[in-house]
């Protein structure tokens, strides 16, 4: 019985943390955000150098064959540094779908290039994970897709997009396919890309295997990654609040010596910290206890969304007026946590799914 | 990550199960309100003899004498909980006084007190808090003055659970009034039948007297009944409190209560609709389930850290605060599920589960306050866990 991280996992997380401290300081984030640059080339290259793109890809396709727990540890670091690089879709969800249900030739075509970081993949599954907005709907017929998908992840500049149709079947679409129109969506979080996709008779190849299972696996994986991203961002917001409260003086003393302020910091830590073990377990379940994975992924994401929201607003309050300004840049973390919460299902929807998964509610 | 216990531990688990299966008929059904009933004492002896209570206490002091093994302890707790069979006694004498004495007592004190305490034959109460010294425990004023070979104690304690039924008290008293407050305290043990001790029950919001006030008037105690020497009491008390906070906020208890609420919501109806089919109530239930699961996995994380001898830092400091809070929220949900039935009390024939949720809703609030209030926990988390500065000392008036 060992419920914790291995030495290798700790070292890997540490090395990504150090790399991000070096290549993704706040000034770099600001520059990327200002330029609407959601794939910061230098940061992406640094992560490719650490082998991140092939994290969960099997060795035979050039990856490291690590688990979702390892991926979650990386996501935590990316959230911690509000890194403007793709990860959720290209490193986790798309490979997860291909590994789960790709044919041999689909795997051979895409996985090695994804693993090396040579190409990137987006996913358009929001309608199946959080419900359709704006009447978004994709129909598939005769190898062609029609309709629209909202809130596609990391689709800008992607060579491959994995798309769920209205029945939950998954399709592989070339990023430059004829008839596909991609419109970037402007969001509060300038470190990640969301797009609206329009399909006008776009050529698509169905994912070969059990699409339903692949879809539920990739959504579970995505939810765990988003929970981990929030954990990392939340950790950083607590650290920043504590540091600020130890420096800032009012009434002749540092504000961190006022219980009104330090109790807020204690509450943030107490709310967020148990989420770490919940994410570890959910990711471990994804890797080794698949029957438990969807339930735990839903709980992990719903729980971290709530704890994350509390930390995001509380840390901002501890920073006082400065927290509200652009000068400190604290809002990048606030917005990252805000985005994480809504993607792939908000807490209420996820809790309903958790109840359904346990037979406590009708689907 | 490896959530399997491995063959050696699974063999141990099989042994535990076998024991429970063959002996569960002897498990007590009546516990005794303040002193253990005879069948509880018999059960406790059986558990000790077989290593399922006092497992790691040395044999010479009446324990089972096994090497400490966190996983074995966990397996025992898991299996007893699963079977719905009571584990060994967990009173303040066993959970707090015995570990303290093992760490700091003299050989004579250990030989005299540990064995009968473990067997439930001697019941202890804890004399720490005073009316004027709650969170600021070190300011306590009950004093002991030297008189020949004895101390003469005067003062008052409060929040003393089981004092009315206890044989003995472990007690903090001020013996060195001229020293700074933390250095002037001693830890004394004495019989509750010593002349000059008066116990008055303290009725709480639950309507029951779960605590007492204890008054000392010229209580004479031999100086030899001190643990760890004069002025060492604060240090001894901290050793004890560490054991107490470990007892509060147990996430597995929350897991059991969560299941009880699922059952309750699946049974209770309003206008013919089950509460589990009410989406608002179900949403609250699921939100709490995530919190309970998080704390259970958090507990496993701490277990692994303890096993490896690692300091889990802030992760350990949040357990009492979060655990007690979640228990109270569980009780609050159950009360809301019950609605008007949830305000019935006492002997009402419409009570569900004997009114246990009504009792928990109030008693668990007491646990948020007791054993270091939530506010004191937040001081500890922020100061020791996050490295934030202490409150500056108030200027002397």
């Amino acid at each position: 019985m060992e419920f914790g991280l291995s030495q290798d996992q700790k070292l890997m997380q540490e090395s990504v943390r150090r790399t991000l401290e070096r290549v993704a300081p706040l000034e770099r984030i600001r520059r990327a955000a200002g330029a609407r640059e959601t794939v910061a080339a230098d940061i992406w290259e640094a992560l490719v150098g650490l082998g991140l793109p092939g994290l969960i890809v099997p060795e035979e396709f050039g990856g490291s064959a690590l688990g979702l727990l390892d991926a979650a540890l990386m996501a935590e670091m990316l959230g911690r540094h509000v890194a403007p690089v793709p990860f959720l879709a290209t490193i986790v969800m798309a490979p997860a779908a291909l590994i789960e249900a790709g044919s041999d030739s689909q795997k051979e075509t895409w996985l090695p290039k994804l693993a090396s970081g040579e190409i990137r993949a987006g996913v358009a599954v929001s309608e199946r994970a959080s419900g359709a907005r704006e009447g978004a709907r994709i129909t598939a017929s005769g190898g062609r897709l029609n309709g629209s998908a909202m809130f596609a992840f990391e689709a800008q500049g992607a060579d491959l997009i994995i798309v769920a149709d209205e029945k939950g079947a998954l399709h592989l679409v070339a990023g430059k396919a004829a008839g596909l129109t991609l419109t970037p969506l402007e969001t509060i979080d300038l470190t990640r890309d969301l797009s609206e996709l329009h399909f006008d008779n776009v050529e698509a190849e169905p994912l070969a295997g059990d699409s339903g299972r692949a879809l539920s696996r990739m959504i579970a994986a995505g939810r765990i990654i988003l929970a981990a991203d929030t954990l990392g961002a939340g950790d950083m917001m607590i650290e920043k609040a504590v540091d600020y409260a130890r420096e800032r003086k009012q009434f002749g003393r540092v504000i961190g010596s006022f219980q009104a302020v330090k109790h807020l910091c204690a509450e943030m830590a107490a709310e967020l910290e148990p989420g770490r073990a919940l994410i570890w377990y959910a990711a471990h379940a994804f890797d080794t206890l698949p029957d438990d994975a969807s339930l735990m992924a839903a709980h992990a994401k719903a729980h971290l969304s709530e704890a994350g929201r509390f930390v995001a607003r509380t840390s901002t309050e501890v920073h006082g007026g400065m927290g509200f300004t652009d000068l400190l840049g604290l809002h990048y973390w606030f917005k990252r946590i805000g985005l994480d919460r809504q993607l792939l299902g908000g807490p209420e929807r996820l809790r309903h799914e958790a109840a359904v998964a346990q037979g406590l509610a009708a689907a | 990550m490896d959530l399997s216990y491995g063959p050696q531990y699974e063999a141990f688990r099989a042994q535990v199960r076998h024991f429970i299966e063959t002996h569960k008929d002897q498990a007590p059904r009546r516990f005794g309100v303040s002193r253990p009933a005879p069948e509880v004492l018999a059960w406790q002896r059986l558990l000790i003899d077989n290593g399922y209570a006092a497992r790691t206490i040395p044999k010479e002091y009446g324990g089972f004498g096994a090497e400490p093994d966190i996983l074995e302890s966990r397996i025992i707790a898991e299996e007893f909980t699963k079977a719905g069979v009571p584990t060994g006694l967990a009173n303040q004498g066993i959970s707090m006084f015995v570990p303290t004495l093992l760490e700091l007592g003299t050989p004579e004190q250990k030989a005299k007190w540990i064995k009968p305490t473990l067997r439930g034959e001697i019941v202890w109460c804890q004399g720490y808090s005073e009316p004027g010294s709650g969170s600021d425990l070190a300011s306590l004023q009950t004093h002991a003055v030297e008189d020949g070979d004895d101390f003469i104690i005067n003062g008052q304690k409060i929040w003393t659970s089981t004092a009315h039924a206890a044989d003995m008290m472990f007690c903090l008293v001020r013996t060195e009034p001229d020293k700074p407050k933390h250095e002037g305290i001693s830890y004394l043990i004495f019989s509750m039948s010593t002349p000059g001790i008066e116990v008055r029950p303290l009725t709480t919001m639950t309507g029951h007297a779960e605590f007492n006030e204890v008054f000392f008037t010229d209580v004479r105690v031999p100086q030899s009944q001190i643990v760890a020497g004069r002025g060492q009491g604060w240090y001894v008390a901290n050793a004890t409190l560490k054991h107490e906070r470990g007892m509060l906020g147990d996430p597995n208890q929350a897991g059991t209560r969560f299941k009880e609420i699922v059952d309750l919501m699946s049974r209770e109806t309003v206008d013919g609709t089950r509460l589990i089919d009410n989406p608002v109530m179900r949403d609250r239930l699921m939100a709490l389930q995530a919190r309970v699961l998080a704390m259970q996995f958090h507990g496993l994380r701490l277990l692994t850290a303890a096993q490896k001898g690692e300091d889990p830092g802030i992760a350990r400091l949040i357990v009492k605060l979060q655990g007690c809070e979640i228990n109270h929220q569980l009780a609050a949900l159950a009360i809301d599920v019950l609605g008007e039935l949830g305000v019935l009390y006492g002997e009402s024939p419409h009570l569900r589960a004997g009114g246990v949720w009504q009792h928990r809703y109030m008693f668990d609030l007491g646990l948020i306050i007791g054993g270091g209030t939530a506010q004191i926990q937040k001081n500890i988390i922020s100061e020791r866990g996050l490295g934030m500065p202490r409150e500056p000392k108030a200027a002397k008036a």
Side-chain angles (χ1 to χ4, degrees):
Chain A
M1 229 298 290
E2 185 173 344
F3 192 92
L5 304 181
S6 69
Q7 204 53 35
D8 283 353
Q9 285 167 329
K10 287 180 190 166
L11 288 174
M12 187 170 68
Q13 198 179 33
E14 183 59 22
S15 101
V16 171
R17 189 175 68 81
R18 280 214 213 103
T19 299
L20 288 171
E21 270 170 11
R22 185 166 48 80
V23 301
L26 181 57
E27 312 83 74
R28 180 69 189 92
I29 306 304
R30 265 187 212 290
R31 236 181 332 119
R36 300 290 189 274
E37 185 191 7
T38 52
V39 188
D42 49 339
I43 303 176
W44 174 249
E45 284 310 317
L47 296 176
V48 171
L50 291 172
L52 239 62
L55 205 65
I56 68 165
V57 173
E59 283 172 354
E60 53 183 310
F61 301 111
S64 317
L66 294 172
L68 194 73
L69 178 56
D70 305 276
L73 299 174
M74 299 303 106
E76 188 190 330
M77 291 301 106
L78 296 173
R80 187 181 166 83
H81 292 276
V82 290
V85 285
F87 183 83
L88 176 67
T90 195
I91 298 183
V92 178
M93 291 178 73
L98 286 163
I99 292 165
E100 189 63 42
S103 66
D104 289 347
S105 91
Q106 286 171 337
K107 288 181 189 172
E108 275 158 28
T109 305
W110 299 109
L111 286 175
K113 287 183 188 159
L114 285 171
S116 66
E118 184 188 335
I119 63 162
R120 288 183 278 107
V123 300
V125 299
S126 286
E127 284 72 24
R128 304 273 69 79
S130 40
R133 301 268 178 173
E134 308 279 319
R137 179 172 169 229
I138 301 278
T139 56
S141 149
R144 300 277 165 170
L145 299 184
N146 279 287
S148 65
M150 295 288 286
F151 313 114
F153 309 149
E154 300 168 13
Q156 296 160 33
D159 296 83
L160 167 70
I161 304 175
I162 300 187
V163 182
D165 69 25
E166 60 179 349
K167 292 176 178 145
L170 293 170
H171 306 268
L172 308 182
V173 175
K176 297 200 176 79
L180 171 63
T181 320
L182 182 153
T183 313
L185 290 166
E186 188 170 351
T187 74
I188 53 161
D189 178 5
L190 299 175
T191 65
R192 286 181 295 178
D193 86 65
L194 289 187
S195 305
E196 182 178 352
L197 304 182
H198 286 278
F199 296 84
D200 183 9
N201 221 26
V202 174
E203 194 179 346
E205 177 186 336
L207 193 69
D210 180 349
S211 250
R213 191 179 147 79
L215 180 66
S216 98
R217 290 282 287 169
M218 76 194 284
I219 290 173
R223 286 171 175 169
I224 294 165
I225 293 304
L226 287 165
D229 191 86
T230 291
L231 174 68
D235 262 343
M236 189 59 130
M237 287 196 89
I238 296 174
E239 282 181 34
K240 284 178 178 287
V242 169
D243 287 347
Y244 186 80
R246 286 161 62 166
E247 298 268 314
R248 166 80 173 167
K249 279 192 180 159
Q250 287 289 275
F251 304 103
R253 45 195 269 213
V254 293
I255 62 169
S257 68
F258 291 108
Q259 288 188 332
V261 173
K262 71 184 186 188
H263 283 192
L264 289 177
C265 294
E267 286 165 15
M268 287 193 276
E271 284 296 309
L272 192 65
E273 192 57 33
R276 190 182 309 278
L278 183 57
I279 289 171
W280 288 356
Y281 182 81
H284 177 70
F286 184 91
D287 291 332
T288 60
L289 309 162
D291 291 348
D292 239 7
S294 286
L295 172 63
M296 289 300 160
H299 269 325
K301 180 162 189 286
H303 181 68
L304 267 295
S305 295
E306 304 292 23
R309 171 174 277 179
F310 175 72
V311 169
R313 65 78 54 100
T314 306
S315 172
T316 305
E317 279 186 82
V318 169
H319 283 83
M322 285 304 287
F324 190 59
T325 66
D326 181 48
L327 293 169
L328 284 188
L330 191 70
H331 61 91
Y332 289 111
W333 283 265
F334 182 95
K335 292 166 181 171
R336 184 113 175 175
I337 290 171
L339 189 79
D340 286 342
R341 181 181 173 102
Q342 304 307 338
L343 300 186
L344 295 176
E348 291 77 13
R349 185 181 177 101
L350 294 172
R351 289 194 286 263
H352 177 69
E353 285 192 27
V356 171
Q358 298 173 89
L360 298 174
Chain B
M1 276 287 191
D2 175 11
L3 301 187
S4 68
Y5 283 85
Q8 177 202 337
Y9 286 108
E10 289 308 333
F12 179 74
R13 186 188 295 280
Q15 257 178 54
V16 180
R17 280 190 186 155
H18 178 74
F19 172 85
I20 294 173
E21 198 46 47
T22 44
H23 294 88
K24 65 181 178 200
D25 295 344
Q26 297 169 48
R29 275 165 200 84
R30 201 165 62 86
F31 293 89
V33 177
S34 43
R35 292 200 67 95
E39 52 263 53
V40 175
L41 293 179
W43 181 244
Q44 178 75 359
R45 278 195 298 276
L46 182 72
L47 293 183
I48 294 174
D49 291 345
N50 287 277
Y52 301 125
R55 180 170 179 80
T56 59
I57 310 284
K59 267 205 158 72
E60 55 178 316
Y61 302 131
F64 182 72
E67 284 295 309
D69 183 321
I70 295 164
L71 291 186
E72 286 181 355
S73 306
R74 187 180 166 86
I75 287 170
I76 295 170
E78 279 177 3
E79 291 303 318
F80 276 73
T81 306
K82 212 181 291 169
V85 170
T87 47
L89 289 171
N91 57 37
Q92 289 186 326
I94 290 172
S95 305
M96 295 169 70
F97 178 65
V98 167
T100 303
L101 210 56
L102 276 172
E103 198 174 321
L104 300 162
T106 63
E108 294 74 30
Q109 287 169 335
K110 293 180 194 175
K112 182 166 181 187
W113 299 114
I114 293 180
K115 184 171 182 180
T117 302
L118 291 177
R119 293 161 80 92
E121 292 155 10
I122 296 185
V123 174
W124 291 82
C125 60
Q126 168 189 281
Y128 280 13
S129 298
E130 298 182 5
S133 304
S135 293
D136 182 14
L137 181 60
S139 70
L140 59 89
Q141 294 299 315
T142 295
H143 55 278
V145 179
E146 213 174 331
D147 182 52
D149 292 338
D150 299 332
F151 283 120
I152 309 285
I153 305 174
N154 280 282
Q156 184 195 343
K157 296 291 174 181
I158 193 171
W159 305 118
T160 324
S161 13
T162 64
H164 57 293
D167 305 293
M168 296 287 297
M169 174 181 274
F170 52 98
C171 187
L172 295 179
V173 296
R174 188 160 301 283
T175 52
E176 332 294 316
D178 300 330
K179 292 231 174 121
K181 66 178 182 179
H182 293 93
E183 292 160 34
I185 299 168
S186 297
Y187 185 103
L188 294 180
I189 53 181
F190 48 81
S191 165
M192 289 299 284
S193 60
T194 315
I197 299 180
E198 187 197 346
V199 176
R200 290 185 206 156
L202 182 64
T203 303
T204 70
M205 61 157 51
T206 67
H208 304 289
E210 281 126 345
F211 301 95
N212 299 277
E213 294 176 285
V214 181
F215 298 83
F216 306 107
T217 312
D218 296 330
V219 175
R220 184 172 285 272
V221 172
Q223 288 203 29
S224 60
Q225 289 180 201
I226 200 165
V227 176
R230 288 179 70 147
Q232 297 294 305
W234 185 250
Y235 168 62
V236 183
N238 276 310
T240 318
L241 285 174
K242 172 177 81 189
H243 299 297
E244 181 180 39
R245 288 192 185 133
M247 289 165 68
L248 296 170
D250 173 12
N252 293 314
Q253 184 189 56
T256 308
R257 290 188 181 178
F258 172 80
K259 285 185 195 131
E260 289 172 34
I261 298 178
V262 173
D263 289 345
L264 185 72
M265 289 177 69
S266 306
R267 245 186 350 256
E268 291 297 329
T269 59
V270 174
D271 289 337
T273 302
R274 299 183 313 157
L275 271 298
I276 195 78
D277 296 326
N278 174 322
V280 175
M281 288 295 184
R282 199 171 55 218
D283 185 72
R284 282 176 65 183
L285 178 75
M286 289 297 103
L288 273 170
Q289 183 178 35
R291 299 189 65 140
V292 170
L293 287 168
M295 285 310 286
Q296 285 179 320
F297 299 133
H298 188 76
L300 289 180
R301 176 184 164 198
L302 295 179
L303 187 75
T304 292
Q307 220 182 339
K308 290 180 163 178
E310 292 170 357
D311 176 12
I314 198 164
R316 182 176 55 82
L317 303 177
I318 64 169
V319 171
K320 197 260 170 183
L321 179 70
Q322 289 302 88
C324 290
E325 177 62 30
I326 290 170
N327 271 338
H328 190 246
Q329 288 189 16
L330 284 168
L333 172 59
I335 291 296
D336 293 349
V337 161
L338 290 168
E340 293 99 324
L341 295 172
V343 299
L344 300 175
Y345 207 48
E347 302 296 322
S348 168
H350 300 289
L351 276 183
R352 301 298 196 262
V356 69
W357 290 112
Q358 287 86 332
H359 184 265
R360 284 174 183 165
Y361 180 64
M362 293 184 272
F363 193 76
D364 288 355
L365 178 56
L367 292 181
I368 289 175
I369 298 165
T373 64
Q375 288 63 41
I376 290 291
Q377 299 302 323
K378 289 175 194 174
N379 282 353
I380 293 172
I381 293 166
S382 54
E383 288 167 15
R384 296 188 208 157
L386 298 172
M388 299 186 82
R390 296 177 66 95
E391 189 86 354
K393 293 256 188 301
K396 293 234 167 70

